[in-house]
């Protein structure tokens, strides 16, 4: 049976709706936490990576990678399975943010950055507060979506994961997350993928997909 593709216009609407709902909810509880956020301890990984101003660019790229990969999934069953996994994983994140909010330490921006890098940092600080860093949704989302995109484009799967692995440390080097947050984001992503069922964990059950 030939796979059924979701039209691009509908995919755009679905991705925009999904991301908008998740972003609005996150920003609301980030700004108005129900409890006093707790500060997680730094690890040797955080100290080893350190803070690097230039990594604001891979960080922003990571933020846009999730929606871009989700938009690229054309096969109907695979797209809806990925959206189910996304909803489950982000619901787990939201439950933790509400019940056990955390925060991070944010240092002031140094002088001497070029105007474009400084602008990128100011945009980030204006949009995102210091709360709800565990688990990291910036890790959960691309991890979930990468599985669906990798099934849609089997030949591109190694490159998708290579790019995500290369970009992931930027959540630490920008001071937006700690190593604990990455681990938590990966755990909630795995739970979402497991509970979403086929075809995410059983590629052989999915329709034949076109390689990239």
């Amino acid at each position: 049976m030939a796979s059924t593709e979701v039209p691009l216009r509908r995919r755009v609407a679905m991705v925009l709706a999904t991301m908008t709902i998740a972003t609005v909810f996150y920003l609301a509880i980030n700004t108005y936490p129900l409890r006093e956020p707790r500060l997680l301890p730094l690890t040797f990984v955080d100290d080893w990576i350190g803070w690097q101003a230039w990594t604001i660019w891979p960080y922003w790229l990571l933020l846009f990678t999730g929606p871009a990969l989700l938009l690229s999934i054309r096969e109907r069953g695979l797209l809806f399975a990925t959206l189910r996994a996304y909803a489950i994983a982000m619901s787990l994140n939201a439950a933790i943010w509400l019940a056990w909010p955390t925060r991070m330490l944010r240092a002031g921006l140094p002088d001497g950055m070029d105007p474009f890098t400084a602008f990128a940092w100011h945009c980030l600080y204006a949009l995102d507060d210091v709360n709800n860093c565990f688990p990291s949704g910036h890790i959960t989302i691309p991890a979930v979506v990468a599985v669906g995109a990798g099934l849609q484009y089997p030949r591109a799967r190694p490159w998708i994961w290579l790019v995500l692995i290369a970009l992931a440390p930027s959540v630490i080097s920008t001071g937006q997350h700690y190593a604990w947050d990455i681990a938590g984001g990966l755990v909630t992503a795995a739970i979402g993928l497991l509970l979403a069922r086929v075809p995410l964990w059983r590629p052989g059950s999915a329709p034949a997909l076109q390689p990239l």
Side-chain angles (χ1 to χ4, degrees):
M1 181 181 298
S3 62
T4 304
E5 292 190 3
V6 179
L8 178 60
R9 182 176 298 181
R10 187 177 180 189
R11 277 183 279 146
V12 170
M14 293 170 64
V15 171
L16 286 177
T18 300
M19 295 296 174
T20 299
I21 292 171
T23 300
V24 170
F25 185 77
Y26 166 77
L27 291 177
I29 61 177
N30 195 12
T31 305
Y32 304 104
L34 298 181
R35 297 183 179 183
E36 182 66 25
R38 302 179 181 183
L39 182 66
L40 291 179
L42 290 169
T43 69
F44 75 93
V45 176
D46 304 302
D47 290 331
W48 179 67
I49 293 178
W51 190 91
Q52 304 289 335
W54 68 269
T55 58
I56 188 65
W57 298 113
Y59 179 81
W60 276 110
L61 183 59
L62 180 65
L63 294 187
F64 287 106
T65 297
L69 289 176
L70 185 58
L71 188 62
S72 74
I73 302 175
R74 307 188 311 271
E75 198 277 316
R76 184 180 303 275
L78 189 54
L79 177 60
F80 280 94
T82 304
L83 287 171
R84 284 198 305 271
Y86 176 102
I88 294 169
M90 290 304 291
S91 295
L92 289 173
N93 283 10
I96 296 172
W97 295 335
L98 288 170
W100 194 64
T102 54
R103 65 182 177 88
M104 58 197 171
L105 293 175
R106 177 177 280 176
L109 297 178
D111 297 328
M113 289 189 292
D114 66 86
F116 296 104
T117 300
F119 177 75
W121 275 103
H122 286 301
C123 287
L124 175 63
Y125 279 15
L127 293 172
D128 198 3
D129 208 341
V130 296
N131 297 325
N132 295 333
C133 51
F134 178 89
S136 171
H138 301 142
I139 297 297
T140 300
I141 294 172
V144 167
V145 177
V147 173
L151 289 172
Q152 177 74 85
Y153 305 104
R155 293 181 181 177
R157 184 185 298 127
W159 297 104
I160 292 172
W161 284 106
L162 183 62
V163 169
L164 292 183
I165 291 171
L167 297 178
S170 66
V171 304
I172 295 178
S173 60
T174 54
Q176 286 295 98
H177 290 285
Y178 299 152
W180 301 109
D181 309 330
I182 292 181
L186 291 174
V187 169
T188 56
I191 294 173
L193 289 165
L194 284 169
L195 295 181
R197 302 188 303 278
V198 296
L200 295 179
W201 286 114
R202 289 171 56 189
S205 65
L209 303 175
Q210 293 183 352
L212 185 63

